[in-house]
C-alpha cells in the first residue's frame, strides 16, 4: 500500500443502476473523520474518471477498459426487456431473445450488454442514452433490453419488464487505478468484501502467535516436571500412590498375612 497522508475525503464513482448505500453507511461508521464523496458517472466516463484522478475508486460494469485498472467482480445482474404494460410480452413471466425476433429492439449508445448478435429488428437510429430509449419504449417505438437495475432506475407507471433467459448479463465490479492503491482504497475494498473491523485488525497486528507459543512452553514445562517425578519413584523414594503401596508391602503389617521376617525351615 502507498500513501501515508490521509486525504480530506474519499471519492467514489458509480455508474447508473449501482446503489452503494450499504457500503457508504459502513464507511461512515468506521471512518467518520474521512467524508465519502459520491461521483456519478456514465459507463463511458467511469474509467476516465479513475485514470484522471477524479475518483479514488468506482463501481463500474465489466469488462474493465485497460490493464492499468484493477477490479474485483461483485455480482451479476439479470437482463430484462422493458415493454409497455399492455404489450403481449407482459402476459408471460419470462421470454427468450427468439420471442423478440419480430420486435424493434432499441440499442442505445451507452448500452452495457456485450452482444454477439443483437436480437429482434434494428431501429432506424440508435438512441443516445438509455433514458432516451426508455422514452421511445413508452411511445411504442420498440422494446429495450437492459440490466434489471437500470429498468428499476428508469421505472415508469406505464412500463414493466420481464427477464430474458438467454441474453448476456451485466457484471458489476469495484475498480481503481493499480498505481493508486492507497490505504483508503484498501479500507473500502475490505468493506466491500465484508471484512469486519476485528478481522482487519487481526491481519494487521498478527499478535495471536506469541500467546500460542507461550502456552506450548507451559505445557512442555509441566511435561518435564512429570517426568522428573517418575524418575524419583524409580530411585526408591515414595511418590504418589505407587510409592505408598510399596512401603506398606515392606513393613510386614497384618494386611499382608506375613511378618516382615523370613520363616525358618524345620
Amino acid at each position: 500500500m502507498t500513501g501515508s497522508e490521509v486525504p480530506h475525503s474519499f471519492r467514489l464513482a458509480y455508474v447508473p443502476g449501482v446503489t452503494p448505500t450499504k457500503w457508504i453507511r459502513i464507511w461512515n461508521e468506521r471512518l467518520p473523520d474521512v467524508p465519502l464523496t459520491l461521483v456519478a458517472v456514465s459507463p463511458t466516463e467511469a474509467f476516465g474518471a479513475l485514470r484522471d484522478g477524479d475518483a479514488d475508486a468506482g463501481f463500474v460494469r465489466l469488462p474493465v477498459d485497460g490493464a492499468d485498472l484493477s477490479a474485483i467482480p461483485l455480482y451479476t445482474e439479470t437482463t430484462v426487456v422493458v415493454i409497455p404494460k399492455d404489450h403481449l410480452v407482459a402476459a408471460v413471466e419470462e421470454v427468450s431473445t427468439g420471442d423478440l425476433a419480430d420486435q424493434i429492439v432499441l440499442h442505445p449508445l451507452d448500452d452495457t450488454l456485450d452482444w454477439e448478435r443483437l436480437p429482434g429488428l434494428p431501429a432506424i437510429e440508435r438512441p443516445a442514452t438509455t433514458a432516451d430509449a426508455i422514452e421511445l419504449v413508452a411511445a411504442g417505438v420498440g422494446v429495450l433490453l437492459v440490466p434489471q437495475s437500470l429498468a428499476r432506475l428508469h421505472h415508469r407507471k406505464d412500463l414493466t419488464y420481464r427477464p430474458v433467459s438467454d441474453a448476456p448479463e451485466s457484471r458489476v465490479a469495484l475498480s481503481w487505478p493499480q498505481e493508486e492503491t492507497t490505504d483508503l482504497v484498501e479500507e473500502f475494498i475490505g468493506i466491500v468484501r465484508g471484512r469486519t473491523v476485528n478481522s482487519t485488525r487481526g491481519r494487521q497486528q498478527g499478535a495471536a502467535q506469541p500467546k500460542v507459543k507461550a502456552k506450548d512452553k507451559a505445557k512442555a514445562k509441566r511435561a518435564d516436571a512429570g517426568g522428573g517425578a517418575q524418575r524419583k519413584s524409580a530411585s526408591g523414594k515414595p511418590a504418589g500412590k505407587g510409592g505408598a503401596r510399596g512401603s506398606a508391602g515392606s513393613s510386614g503389617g497384618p494386611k499382608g498375612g506375613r511378618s516382615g521376617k523370613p520363616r525358618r525351615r524345620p
Side-chain angles (χ1 to χ4, degrees):
M1 293 184 292
T2 61
S4 57
E5 296 183 0
V6 179
H8 295 296
S9 67
F10 183 74
R11 297 159 300 173
L12 179 65
Y14 69 102
V15 296
V18 176
T19 307
T21 307
K22 64 177 181 180
W23 296 303
I24 296 172
R25 176 180 53 79
I26 298 173
W27 176 277
N28 291 334
E29 291 174 354
R30 295 188 187 178
L31 290 90
D33 297 332
V34 183
L36 189 150
T37 303
L38 288 175
V39 182
V41 293
S42 68
T44 56
E45 298 171 340
F47 302 116
L50 295 175
R51 291 192 178 98
D52 296 340
D54 295 330
D56 300 297
F59 291 108
V60 301
R61 294 187 184 275
L62 295 177
V64 169
D65 180 18
D68 59 333
L69 298 175
S70 298
I72 300 174
L74 299 178
Y75 57 90
T76 301
E77 287 195 71
T78 300
T79 298
V80 300
V81 57
V82 182
I83 49 177
K85 281 192 172 181
D86 58 356
H87 197 280
L88 290 176
V89 173
V92 298
E93 294 184 357
E94 185 180 81
V95 297
S96 66
T97 54
D99 297 328
L100 305 175
D102 297 332
Q103 301 290 324
I104 295 177
V105 178
L106 302 169
H107 187 212
L109 295 175
D110 63 354
D111 185 16
T112 60
L113 300 175
D114 186 17
W115 294 100
E116 292 184 4
R117 181 179 178 181
L118 289 171
L121 304 174
I124 298 175
E125 294 182 358
R126 294 184 64 182
T129 65
T130 298
D132 294 335
I134 291 289
E135 294 294 333
L136 293 175
V137 173
V141 175
V143 300
L144 174 66
L145 282 80
V146 291
Q148 184 170 327
S149 65
L150 291 181
R152 291 174 176 172
L153 178 65
H154 298 286
H155 172 72
R156 292 175 51 127
K157 292 182 178 180
D158 54 346
L159 300 180
T160 188
Y161 59 84
R162 293 292 183 270
V164 183
S165 58
D166 57 347
E169 297 175 320
S170 177
R171 301 177 67 195
V172 175
L174 176 67
S175 182
W176 67 94
Q178 287 185 356
E179 297 182 356
E180 296 294 333
T181 309
T182 64
D183 290 343
L184 290 181
V185 171
E186 287 285 1
E187 186 71 29
F188 193 77
I189 291 171
I191 290 173
V192 170
R193 283 181 164 174
R195 296 175 191 161
T196 63
V197 176
N198 293 333
S199 64
T200 302
R201 289 177 179 173
R203 288 192 307 276
Q204 292 176 352
Q205 295 177 359
Q209 287 187 345
K211 293 183 179 180
V212 175
K213 290 182 178 179
K215 290 180 180 180
D216 291 341
K217 289 181 179 179
K219 289 181 181 178
K221 189 174 181 180
R222 288 195 295 270
D224 290 341
Q230 291 178 357
R231 286 193 293 271
K232 284 185 178 181
S233 297
S235 65
K237 294 182 179 180
K241 295 181 178 179
R245 286 195 298 269
S247 58
S250 61
S251 64
K255 291 183 180 179
R258 296 180 180 179
S259 62
K261 300 178 182 180
R263 293 182 181 179
R264 291 183 182 180
R265 293 182 181 180

